[in-house]
Amino acid sequence: MSNGPWQPRGQGPRNPNPWGGGPAGGGHGGREPPDLEEILRRSQDRLRRVIPGGGGEGGGIGRLGAIGIAFLGLLAIAGWLLTGFYTVRPNEIGIERVFGRFAALTAPGLNWNWPYPVGRIDKPTIAVQTIEVGLRSDARGRGGVRDVREESLMLTGDENIVDVDFAVLWLVDARRPQDFVFNLREPAGTVKAVAESAMREVIGRREIQPILTGARLEIEREVQELMQKTLNGYGAGIIIQQVQMQKVDPPNEVINAFRDVQAARADQERMQNEAQTYANRMIPEARGEASRIIQRAEAERERMIADARGEAARFNSVLDEYSKAPDVTRQRLYLETIERIYGGMDKVIIDQGRQNGAQGVVPFLPLNEMIRPRAGTTEPGRR
């Protein structure tokens, strides 16, 4: 009877088939299982040949084998640790992970982190990138541009349709690159979706006329601010550097009608400018004429007030004299009035006291023209 597979050497014959059965036939279809003792022995022989000055059999071989295995393990660990060195380029930022969690940010240069699978390195590029919305440039650099109308057609606030092509310049935020790595799965697709949504919102709040003419800079600024606010809410770690509107036109189907409308509006503005110029010329003239009329009226008013005050003063002075000598004053007023009435006309005096057909007409007055003064004589009425 055999002593089994673990029988020491030199203590009887050893069964070449430790699992039972003869070398041919048996319960395993003629296949012998591996001899573990033989495998160990051959391994020790190889190790003895590799290590110079190896000892004899038994415990010496086992100790040497353990030392060799430990040495190989240390070499493997050292090689594994050496794979943890990595280089960060000047336009990159290193993001170290340990067991999948964010550990630290590293500057450009040579750095070290735990190798895979314990650690991992992400190196996002800090460079300006461009996202096009509404158009696609030729990737081969031939200068061709393909219009993507499902992205560029937008509805304005006055229910018109406008074709807007624009580009967005963005880059990774160097202060929070870990947000860019951990919070975004498809950065370019996210930026494009946010850009299209922001532009549609801004265009939807405006009428088409300012969009086609002079509101481009303001629209670009509003879209940039809205995109940055949205991405900050996502924690995307992205900076929107600029929004550039490249083409803003009506749809091709109605562009001719829009051009006619634009021409009519240009004529309207021209006529309004001409009317405003005429008004600017006529209004100051009218205001000047009105001012002159007002000044003349005020001067006439002052003159009439002054005359009235003079007449009142003269009347008061006459009244004072009249109160002192009523008869004399009354006679004087009568004579002055007669003089003022008859002073500038021809006069005929009829003497009603004559009788018997005598002529009672004094044909000519005033007497100062009928009686001319002689030299050396005194004029009538003067003494």
Side-chain angles (χ1 to χ4, degrees):
M1 182 176 179
S2 174
N3 292 328
W6 310 110
Q7 181 180 6
R9 279 183 287 180
Q11 299 182 5
R14 181 165 55 93
N15 187 4
N17 185 6
W19 307 105
H28 295 281
R31 295 184 57 189
E32 294 183 2
D35 190 350
L36 298 179
E37 185 177 356
E38 182 67 19
I39 293 175
L40 290 175
R41 186 181 62 79
R42 292 179 180 177
S43 299
Q44 290 174 356
D45 293 341
R46 293 192 186 96
L47 184 60
R48 189 182 301 112
R49 289 195 298 269
V50 170
I51 300 176
E57 299 179 356
I61 296 177
R63 286 193 299 271
L64 289 175
I67 292 173
I69 292 174
F71 179 73
L72 293 176
L74 290 176
L75 287 178
I77 293 174
W80 177 70
L81 292 176
L82 288 175
T83 60
F85 286 98
Y86 64 94
T87 302
V88 178
R89 298 180 180 178
N91 62 338
E92 297 176 341
I93 292 182
I95 301 175
E96 296 182 353
R97 301 193 204 180
V98 178
F99 295 111
R101 299 177 66 88
F102 169 72
L105 298 177
T106 56
L110 184 63
N111 301 276
W112 183 87
N113 187 33
W114 288 102
Y116 181 85
V118 177
R120 179 177 172 180
I121 302 299
D122 297 289
K123 295 185 287 185
T125 302
I126 309 300
V128 177
Q129 303 183 47
T130 302
I131 293 293
E132 295 177 332
V133 180
L135 74 160
R136 297 291 185 275
S137 300
D138 189 0
R140 300 179 181 178
R142 299 177 180 178
V145 177
R146 179 172 59 89
D147 193 12
V148 184
R149 303 195 66 187
E150 58 270 17
E151 296 177 359
S152 61
L153 293 180
M154 302 182 184
L155 187 65
T156 64
D158 53 356
E159 299 182 354
N160 285 298
I161 297 177
V162 65
D163 191 354
V164 181
D165 295 341
F166 67 100
V168 177
L169 278 65
W170 64 277
L171 72 162
V172 178
D173 189 355
R175 298 169 299 178
R176 300 286 299 176
Q178 64 272 25
D179 292 343
F180 175 79
V181 173
F182 297 136
N183 296 341
L184 293 182
R185 177 175 297 178
E186 296 181 0
T190 301
V191 173
K192 180 175 177 297
V194 172
E196 185 176 349
S197 175
M199 181 62 74
R200 290 185 183 278
E201 180 176 346
V202 173
I203 292 296
R205 294 198 299 256
R206 295 176 177 272
E207 296 182 355
I208 190 172
Q209 186 61 30
I211 296 173
L212 296 176
T213 54
R216 294 195 177 188
L217 294 178
E218 187 175 354
I219 292 173
E220 292 174 350
R221 179 183 57 80
E222 289 187 14
V223 172
Q224 179 180 356
E225 293 176 354
L226 183 57
M227 287 186 63
Q228 191 66 64
K229 181 180 178 181
T230 303
L231 292 172
N232 290 342
Y234 294 162
I238 290 176
I239 294 177
I240 302 301
Q241 193 175 53
Q242 189 178 5
V243 176
Q244 298 176 347
M245 298 180 68
Q246 299 183 359
K247 185 188 74 172
V248 182
D249 289 325
N252 294 330
E253 294 79 2
V254 296
I255 191 169
N256 293 330
F258 267 90
R259 288 175 179 173
D260 293 340
V261 172
Q262 291 290 93
R265 287 178 176 172
D267 293 339
Q268 178 185 7
E269 292 180 359
R270 177 181 57 79
M271 296 180 67
Q272 287 179 348
N273 292 334
E274 292 177 355
Q276 187 64 39
T277 302
Y278 178 77
N280 292 337
R281 185 181 73 253
M282 296 300 297
I283 289 176
E285 294 179 359
R287 288 175 178 173
E289 184 65 23
S291 178
R292 288 192 296 271
I293 293 174
I294 291 173
Q295 290 176 358
R296 286 199 301 267
E298 290 179 351
E300 184 68 16
R301 182 190 64 179
E302 295 296 330
R303 184 188 64 78
M304 294 182 68
I305 291 174
D307 290 346
R309 288 175 178 175
E311 290 292 332
R314 186 180 66 81
F315 180 81
N316 290 332
S317 64
V318 172
L319 180 61
D320 292 338
E321 296 297 328
Y322 179 80
S323 62
K324 295 177 182 179
D327 296 335
V328 176
T329 304
R330 187 181 301 112
Q331 185 65 28
R332 178 183 174 183
L333 290 174
Y334 173 76
L335 295 176
E336 289 178 354
T337 302
I338 293 299
E339 181 181 2
R340 186 168 60 253
I341 293 173
Y342 293 108
M345 62 178 61
D346 295 336
K347 294 169 282 294
V348 177
I349 299 175
I350 299 175
D351 187 4
Q352 296 180 356
R354 289 184 177 271
Q355 298 178 356
N356 299 325
Q359 185 177 2
V361 177
V362 179
F364 187 82
L365 283 178
L367 299 177
N368 58 350
E369 294 186 4
M370 188 176 69
I371 303 174
R372 300 185 180 277
R374 296 183 179 88
T377 61
T378 304
E379 293 182 4
R382 292 187 180 182
R383 291 183 175 90

